[in-house]
Amino acid sequence: QVQLVESGGGYVQPGGSLRLSCTASARTVGIYVMAWYRQAAGSQRQLVAHITHTGSTNYTDSVKGRFTISRDTAKNTVYLQMNNLKPEDTGVYYCKQSGRVDGPGTWGQGTQVTVSS
């Protein structure tokens, strides 16, 4: 079974930027839907952005214009570029690979993002 490893989280001030990476252990990034989810403390995991096998992307309204999801199939990696970060972006960010966005899939271990002054 493929394994996903996230990296790039950290502590940043409001208005700052971070780039998250999710690397798969197999050549699956260009085959399946790759998605980023966010889970704030005490809240349910929320879909933030996803990219399909065709390269089509979609974002939740709160991050449109600020976040960009992309992929490098040669590196088996999907990225989430996060700009103009806000305190409400704080949470653990998880990468997921699945056959469809709302279907079951494989999850990474998560990476913490904290936005605070």
Side-chain angles (χ1 to χ4, degrees), residues 29-110:
V29 167
I31 299 174
Y32 294 97
V33 174
M34 301 298 297
W36 286 99
Y37 286 72
R38 172 173 68 205
Q39 187 167 21
S43 299
Q44 290 187 333
R45 205 168 290 188
Q46 175 192 32
L47 177 63
V48 174
H50 76 265
I51 183 167
T52 70
H53 69 286
T54 64
S56 176
T57 60
N58 199 22
Y59 302 88
T60 192
D61 287 345
S62 64
V63 308
K64 285 181 180 177
R66 300 189 298 121
F67 290 12
T68 302
I69 188 170
S70 62
R71 66 185 181 185
D72 185 335
T73 55
K75 296 182 178 180
N76 302 322
T77 299
V78 63
Y79 304 98
L80 186 67
Q81 177 67 46
M82 305 186 295
N83 298 328
N84 190 22
L85 282 160
K86 304 176 180 181
E88 52 264 41
D89 295 319
T90 294
V92 180
Y93 283 71
Y94 296 90
C95 177
K96 176 190 172 186
Q97 175 184 282
S98 59
R100 62 179 194 272
V101 176
D102 58 351
T106 300
W107 294 86
Q109 84 288 350

Side-chain angles (χ1 to χ4, degrees), residues 5-9 19-23 36 77-80 95 111:
V5 179
E6 300 102 330
S7 62
R19 188 177 80 155
L20 306 182
S21 299
C22 170
T23 300
W36 286 99
T77 299
V78 63
Y79 304 98
L80 186 67
C95 177
T111 185

